[in-house]
Amino acid sequence: NHRSVLALVGVGLLLTSWATATDSRASTRRPAHNWSYVGTPIPPFWWTEVVRVPDARAKAGRGAGTTIAVIGTGVLKGHEDLPSVVAGESACGSDTQDYNGHGTQLAGIVAGREPGPAAGPPPPPSTSGVAPDAAIIPIKIDCGVVSADALMKGVTAAVARKPDVVLIAIGR
């Protein structure tokens, strides 16, 4: 659905611009490869109100059976909040490992889950992603710099996998 793709691209751009506009320390920030939410002035779950997780869940459920291609810096392998990351592709470098943090953060917003036992009630929407039962396909296009060629290859790779949603998450 083209509307879903456009909406998620818009959300990605909004999140990137909002984080940049609200971070007064942008010029004194540590290098991207050492990024951590611990050192940022933004609360860890700031995005729940922006994305309106309860409303999204009411309309679309938890994403069971859905695949979402996240095009960006990759996704951190083995992250306990992202158990449903499937094999992805890289248009730069040799792996889809996220050395920046941005792609993993966006994958968490999309499909993050609280770690813990599989049995029991689902976690509250304020501490897990919009569609925690969806599978994430990491498509890495950012290995420090995003080129038009890498972006084109990444979008082509994502579309070839036939995901339900494509999220282009270019940011810093």
Side-chain angles (χ1 to χ4, degrees):
N1 183 330
H2 296 298
R3 289 184 190 163
S4 296
V5 172
L6 291 175
L8 283 174
V9 169
V11 168
L13 293 173
L14 171 69
L15 294 175
T16 300
S17 65
W18 186 83
T20 301
T22 59
D23 187 354
S24 61
R25 301 177 320 137
S27 63
T28 60
R29 199 182 249 180
R30 287 175 279 159
H33 63 278
N34 292 328
W35 181 89
S36 170
Y37 76 87
V38 175
T40 63
I42 302 169
F45 296 102
W46 62 267
W47 52 269
T48 57
E49 289 182 34
V50 174
V51 177
R52 297 176 31 198
V53 174
D55 293 342
R57 292 250 184 92
K59 290 179 183 177
R62 294 177 52 89
T66 302
T67 56
I68 302 167
V70 177
I71 300 174
T73 62
V75 174
L76 183 64
K77 292 177 185 171
H79 193 291
E80 68 271 11
D81 294 345
L82 297 168
S84 58
V85 176
V86 299
E89 297 184 40
S90 179
C92 64
S94 60
D95 66 18
T96 59
Q97 178 71 327
D98 186 0
Y99 299 103
N100 173 284
H102 187 256
T104 302
Q105 181 183 27
L106 277 257
I109 291 171
V110 171
R113 289 189 220 165
E114 286 286 318
S126 64
T127 59
S128 60
V130 175
D133 295 337
I136 296 291
I137 305 168
I139 307 290
K140 187 172 183 174
I141 63 162
D142 184 344
C143 290
V145 174
V146 178
S147 69
D149 184 56
L151 177 58
M152 185 176 69
K153 286 179 182 176
V155 170
T156 300
V159 170
R161 300 288 293 271
K162 300 184 183 199
D164 298 294
V165 177
V166 174
L167 170 60
I168 300 174
I170 301 171
R172 57 180 184 118

Short mmCIF file of all heavy atoms in Angstrom, two decimals, residues 96-143:
data_model
loop_
_atom_site.label_atom_id
_atom_site.label_comp_id
_atom_site.label_asym_id
_atom_site.label_seq_id
_atom_site.Cartn_x
_atom_site.Cartn_y
_atom_site.Cartn_z
N THR A 96 24.76 -6.30 7.84
CA THR A 96 23.66 -5.40 8.19
C THR A 96 23.74 -4.94 9.64
O THR A 96 22.80 -4.35 10.15
CB THR A 96 22.30 -6.10 7.95
OG1 THR A 96 22.24 -7.28 8.74
CG2 THR A 96 22.11 -6.44 6.49
N GLN A 97 24.89 -5.19 10.30
CA GLN A 97 25.07 -4.77 11.68
C GLN A 97 25.02 -3.25 11.79
O GLN A 97 25.58 -2.54 10.96
CB GLN A 97 26.42 -5.30 12.20
CG GLN A 97 26.76 -4.89 13.60
CD GLN A 97 25.92 -5.58 14.66
OE1 GLN A 97 24.77 -5.89 14.47
NE2 GLN A 97 26.52 -5.80 15.81
N ASP A 98 24.34 -2.74 12.81
CA ASP A 98 24.19 -1.31 13.03
C ASP A 98 25.28 -0.82 13.97
O ASP A 98 25.29 -1.15 15.14
CB ASP A 98 22.81 -1.03 13.64
CG ASP A 98 22.50 0.44 13.77
OD1 ASP A 98 23.34 1.28 13.40
OD2 ASP A 98 21.39 0.76 14.24
N TYR A 99 26.20 -0.02 13.43
CA TYR A 99 27.28 0.55 14.25
C TYR A 99 26.97 1.99 14.65
O TYR A 99 27.78 2.64 15.28
CB TYR A 99 28.60 0.50 13.48
CG TYR A 99 29.01 -0.91 13.13
CD1 TYR A 99 28.84 -1.40 11.85
CD2 TYR A 99 29.52 -1.75 14.11
CE1 TYR A 99 29.20 -2.70 11.53
CE2 TYR A 99 29.88 -3.06 13.81
CZ TYR A 99 29.71 -3.53 12.51
OH TYR A 99 30.05 -4.82 12.22
N ASN A 100 25.79 2.47 14.28
CA ASN A 100 25.39 3.85 14.53
C ASN A 100 24.31 3.94 15.60
O ASN A 100 24.37 4.79 16.47
CB ASN A 100 24.90 4.47 13.21
CG ASN A 100 24.31 5.83 13.36
OD1 ASN A 100 23.18 5.97 13.83
ND2 ASN A 100 25.05 6.83 12.96
N GLY A 101 23.31 3.09 15.55
CA GLY A 101 22.22 3.09 16.52
C GLY A 101 20.90 3.58 15.96
O GLY A 101 19.84 3.24 16.48
N HIS A 102 20.92 4.37 14.91
CA HIS A 102 19.70 4.97 14.38
C HIS A 102 18.74 3.91 13.83
O HIS A 102 17.55 3.92 14.13
CB HIS A 102 20.04 6.01 13.30
CG HIS A 102 18.85 6.77 12.83
ND1 HIS A 102 18.25 6.50 11.63
CD2 HIS A 102 18.15 7.77 13.40
CE1 HIS A 102 17.22 7.32 11.48
NE2 HIS A 102 17.14 8.11 12.53
N GLY A 103 19.25 2.99 13.02
CA GLY A 103 18.40 1.95 12.44
C GLY A 103 17.79 1.05 13.51
O GLY A 103 16.63 0.67 13.43
N THR A 104 18.59 0.72 14.53
CA THR A 104 18.10 -0.11 15.62
C THR A 104 17.02 0.62 16.41
O THR A 104 16.01 0.03 16.79
CB THR A 104 19.26 -0.52 16.55
OG1 THR A 104 20.24 -1.20 15.76
CG2 THR A 104 18.80 -1.41 17.68
N GLN A 105 17.23 1.91 16.63
CA GLN A 105 16.22 2.70 17.36
C GLN A 105 14.90 2.71 16.59
O GLN A 105 13.84 2.50 17.16
CB GLN A 105 16.72 4.12 17.58
CG GLN A 105 15.71 4.95 18.36
CD GLN A 105 16.15 6.40 18.54
OE1 GLN A 105 16.89 6.93 17.73
NE2 GLN A 105 15.68 7.02 19.59
N LEU A 106 14.97 2.94 15.29
CA LEU A 106 13.74 2.96 14.48
C LEU A 106 13.10 1.58 14.41
O LEU A 106 11.88 1.47 14.44
CB LEU A 106 14.01 3.51 13.08
CG LEU A 106 14.03 5.03 12.92
CD1 LEU A 106 12.77 5.55 12.31
CD2 LEU A 106 14.41 5.81 14.12
N ALA A 107 13.92 0.53 14.31
CA ALA A 107 13.37 -0.84 14.32
C ALA A 107 12.65 -1.09 15.65
O ALA A 107 11.60 -1.75 15.68
CB ALA A 107 14.48 -1.86 14.11
N GLY A 108 13.18 -0.56 16.75
CA GLY A 108 12.52 -0.68 18.05
C GLY A 108 11.20 0.05 18.10
O GLY A 108 10.22 -0.44 18.67
N ILE A 109 11.14 1.23 17.51
CA ILE A 109 9.88 1.98 17.45
C ILE A 109 8.86 1.19 16.62
O ILE A 109 7.69 1.12 16.97
CB ILE A 109 10.10 3.39 16.88
CG1 ILE A 109 10.89 4.23 17.88
CG2 ILE A 109 8.77 4.05 16.53
CD1 ILE A 109 11.34 5.58 17.35
N VAL A 110 9.32 0.57 15.56
CA VAL A 110 8.43 -0.19 14.69
C VAL A 110 8.00 -1.50 15.34
O VAL A 110 6.80 -1.80 15.39
CB VAL A 110 9.11 -0.47 13.33
CG1 VAL A 110 8.30 -1.43 12.50
CG2 VAL A 110 9.33 0.82 12.57
N ALA A 111 8.96 -2.30 15.83
CA ALA A 111 8.62 -3.66 16.24
C ALA A 111 9.32 -4.12 17.51
O ALA A 111 9.49 -5.32 17.72
CB ALA A 111 8.93 -4.63 15.11
N GLY A 112 9.74 -3.20 18.36
CA GLY A 112 10.43 -3.60 19.58
C GLY A 112 9.51 -4.31 20.56
O GLY A 112 8.32 -4.06 20.61
N ARG A 113 10.10 -5.22 21.31
CA ARG A 113 9.38 -5.95 22.36
C ARG A 113 10.16 -5.85 23.65
O ARG A 113 11.38 -5.79 23.64
CB ARG A 113 9.26 -7.43 22.01
CG ARG A 113 8.34 -7.72 20.90
CD ARG A 113 8.15 -9.21 20.81
NE ARG A 113 8.13 -9.57 19.40
CZ ARG A 113 8.27 -10.78 18.96
NH1 ARG A 113 8.48 -11.78 19.78
NH2 ARG A 113 8.22 -11.04 17.68
N GLU A 114 9.45 -5.91 24.75
CA GLU A 114 10.11 -5.98 26.04
C GLU A 114 10.71 -7.38 26.17
O GLU A 114 10.07 -8.36 25.83
CB GLU A 114 9.10 -5.78 27.17
CG GLU A 114 8.64 -4.36 27.33
CD GLU A 114 9.70 -3.49 27.96
OE1 GLU A 114 10.37 -3.90 28.92
OE2 GLU A 114 9.85 -2.36 27.47
N PRO A 115 11.95 -7.50 26.65
CA PRO A 115 12.50 -8.83 26.87
C PRO A 115 11.78 -9.49 28.05
O PRO A 115 11.22 -8.80 28.90
CB PRO A 115 13.96 -8.56 27.20
CG PRO A 115 13.99 -7.17 27.70
CD PRO A 115 12.86 -6.44 27.01
N GLY A 116 11.77 -10.77 28.08
CA GLY A 116 11.14 -11.48 29.19
C GLY A 116 10.49 -12.75 28.72
O GLY A 116 10.65 -13.17 27.58
N PRO A 117 9.73 -13.39 29.60
CA PRO A 117 9.12 -14.67 29.25
C PRO A 117 8.11 -14.51 28.11
O PRO A 117 7.44 -13.50 27.99
CB PRO A 117 8.44 -15.11 30.54
CG PRO A 117 8.34 -13.90 31.40
CD PRO A 117 9.39 -12.94 30.94
N ALA A 118 8.04 -15.54 27.27
CA ALA A 118 7.12 -15.52 26.13
C ALA A 118 5.67 -15.61 26.60
O ALA A 118 4.78 -15.09 25.95
CB ALA A 118 7.44 -16.66 25.17
N ALA A 119 5.43 -16.28 27.71
CA ALA A 119 4.06 -16.42 28.21
C ALA A 119 3.63 -15.16 28.95
O ALA A 119 4.45 -14.38 29.40
CB ALA A 119 3.98 -17.63 29.14
N GLY A 120 2.36 -14.98 29.04
CA GLY A 120 1.84 -13.84 29.78
C GLY A 120 1.29 -12.77 28.86
O GLY A 120 1.36 -12.89 27.64
N PRO A 121 0.76 -11.72 29.47
CA PRO A 121 0.14 -10.66 28.66
C PRO A 121 1.20 -9.87 27.90
O PRO A 121 2.35 -9.81 28.32
CB PRO A 121 -0.56 -9.78 29.70
CG PRO A 121 0.22 -10.01 30.96
CD PRO A 121 0.69 -11.45 30.90
N PRO A 122 0.81 -9.27 26.77
CA PRO A 122 1.77 -8.45 26.03
C PRO A 122 2.15 -7.21 26.83
O PRO A 122 1.39 -6.78 27.69
CB PRO A 122 1.02 -8.06 24.75
CG PRO A 122 -0.43 -8.24 25.10
CD PRO A 122 -0.51 -9.29 26.16
N PRO A 123 3.34 -6.67 26.57
CA PRO A 123 3.76 -5.47 27.31
C PRO A 123 2.87 -4.28 26.94
O PRO A 123 2.23 -4.29 25.89
CB PRO A 123 5.20 -5.24 26.84
CG PRO A 123 5.30 -5.96 25.55
CD PRO A 123 4.33 -7.09 25.60
N PRO A 124 2.82 -3.28 27.79
CA PRO A 124 2.01 -2.11 27.47
C PRO A 124 2.56 -1.39 26.24
O PRO A 124 3.76 -1.46 25.97
CB PRO A 124 2.13 -1.22 28.71
CG PRO A 124 3.34 -1.71 29.42
CD PRO A 124 3.51 -3.15 29.06
N PRO A 125 1.68 -0.71 25.47
CA PRO A 125 2.14 -0.05 24.25
C PRO A 125 3.19 1.02 24.48
O PRO A 125 3.93 1.35 23.59
CB PRO A 125 0.88 0.57 23.66
CG PRO A 125 -0.24 0.20 24.52
CD PRO A 125 0.27 -0.57 25.69
N SER A 126 3.30 1.54 25.69
CA SER A 126 4.28 2.60 25.93
C SER A 126 5.70 2.08 26.02
O SER A 126 6.64 2.85 26.00
CB SER A 126 3.92 3.35 27.20
OG SER A 126 4.02 2.48 28.30
N THR A 127 5.89 0.76 26.13
CA THR A 127 7.23 0.23 26.26
C THR A 127 7.59 -0.76 25.16
O THR A 127 8.57 -1.47 25.25
CB THR A 127 7.42 -0.45 27.63
OG1 THR A 127 6.48 -1.51 27.75
CG2 THR A 127 7.29 0.53 28.76
N SER A 128 6.78 -0.83 24.13
CA SER A 128 7.13 -1.69 23.00
C SER A 128 6.74 -0.97 21.73
O SER A 128 6.05 0.03 21.74
CB SER A 128 6.45 -3.06 23.12
OG SER A 128 5.06 -2.93 23.14
N GLY A 129 7.21 -1.50 20.61
CA GLY A 129 6.99 -0.85 19.33
C GLY A 129 5.54 -0.88 18.87
O GLY A 129 4.68 -1.50 19.48
N VAL A 130 5.30 -0.21 17.77
CA VAL A 130 3.96 -0.11 17.21
C VAL A 130 3.44 -1.48 16.81
O VAL A 130 2.29 -1.82 17.07
CB VAL A 130 3.95 0.84 15.99
CG1 VAL A 130 2.59 0.87 15.32
CG2 VAL A 130 4.37 2.25 16.40
N ALA A 131 4.28 -2.30 16.19
CA ALA A 131 3.87 -3.62 15.71
C ALA A 131 4.87 -4.67 16.21
O ALA A 131 5.66 -5.21 15.44
CB ALA A 131 3.79 -3.61 14.19
N PRO A 132 4.85 -5.00 17.51
CA PRO A 132 5.88 -5.87 18.08
C PRO A 132 5.86 -7.31 17.55
O PRO A 132 6.83 -8.04 17.74
CB PRO A 132 5.60 -5.84 19.59
CG PRO A 132 4.18 -5.42 19.70
CD PRO A 132 3.91 -4.54 18.53
N ASP A 133 4.80 -7.72 16.88
CA ASP A 133 4.75 -9.07 16.33
C ASP A 133 5.18 -9.12 14.86
O ASP A 133 5.15 -10.18 14.24
CB ASP A 133 3.33 -9.65 16.47
CG ASP A 133 2.95 -9.83 17.94
OD1 ASP A 133 3.86 -9.95 18.79
OD2 ASP A 133 1.74 -9.85 18.24
N ALA A 134 5.59 -8.00 14.30
CA ALA A 134 6.04 -7.94 12.90
C ALA A 134 7.49 -8.38 12.80
O ALA A 134 8.26 -8.29 13.77
CB ALA A 134 5.89 -6.52 12.36
N ALA A 135 7.88 -8.84 11.62
CA ALA A 135 9.27 -9.21 11.35
C ALA A 135 9.98 -8.03 10.69
O ALA A 135 9.41 -7.35 9.84
CB ALA A 135 9.33 -10.43 10.43
N ILE A 136 11.22 -7.79 11.09
CA ILE A 136 12.03 -6.69 10.55
C ILE A 136 13.05 -7.25 9.55
O ILE A 136 13.75 -8.20 9.86
CB ILE A 136 12.79 -5.96 11.68
CG1 ILE A 136 11.82 -5.28 12.63
CG2 ILE A 136 13.79 -4.95 11.11
CD1 ILE A 136 11.08 -4.10 12.04
N ILE A 137 13.14 -6.62 8.38
CA ILE A 137 14.16 -6.94 7.38
C ILE A 137 15.12 -5.75 7.35
O ILE A 137 14.76 -4.69 6.84
CB ILE A 137 13.55 -7.13 5.97
CG1 ILE A 137 12.45 -8.19 5.99
CG2 ILE A 137 14.64 -7.46 4.96
CD1 ILE A 137 11.62 -8.21 4.71
N PRO A 138 16.33 -5.88 7.91
CA PRO A 138 17.27 -4.75 7.87
C PRO A 138 17.90 -4.61 6.49
O PRO A 138 18.40 -5.58 5.92
CB PRO A 138 18.31 -5.13 8.91
CG PRO A 138 18.26 -6.61 9.01
CD PRO A 138 16.85 -7.02 8.65
N ILE A 139 17.83 -3.41 5.95
CA ILE A 139 18.47 -3.09 4.68
C ILE A 139 19.43 -1.94 4.97
O ILE A 139 19.00 -0.81 5.22
CB ILE A 139 17.45 -2.67 3.59
CG1 ILE A 139 16.33 -3.72 3.43
CG2 ILE A 139 18.16 -2.37 2.29
CD1 ILE A 139 16.74 -5.02 2.80
N LYS A 140 20.72 -2.23 4.96
CA LYS A 140 21.72 -1.23 5.34
C LYS A 140 22.17 -0.44 4.11
O LYS A 140 22.65 -1.02 3.14
CB LYS A 140 22.91 -1.91 6.00
CG LYS A 140 23.93 -0.94 6.56
CD LYS A 140 24.96 -1.69 7.36
CE LYS A 140 25.95 -0.76 7.99
NZ LYS A 140 26.87 -1.49 8.87
N ILE A 141 22.01 0.88 4.19
CA ILE A 141 22.48 1.77 3.11
C ILE A 141 23.43 2.83 3.64
O ILE A 141 23.99 3.58 2.87
CB ILE A 141 21.30 2.46 2.39
CG1 ILE A 141 20.54 3.35 3.36
CG2 ILE A 141 20.39 1.45 1.73
CD1 ILE A 141 19.67 4.38 2.69
N ASP A 142 23.57 2.90 4.96
CA ASP A 142 24.37 3.95 5.60
C ASP A 142 25.55 3.33 6.33
O ASP A 142 25.39 2.73 7.39
CB ASP A 142 23.48 4.73 6.57
CG ASP A 142 24.18 5.92 7.20
OD1 ASP A 142 25.43 5.99 7.16
OD2 ASP A 142 23.47 6.78 7.75
N CYS A 143 26.73 3.46 5.74
CA CYS A 143 27.96 2.99 6.39
C CYS A 143 28.82 4.21 6.74
O CYS A 143 30.02 4.23 6.53
CB CYS A 143 28.72 2.04 5.45
SG CYS A 143 27.90 0.47 5.22
#
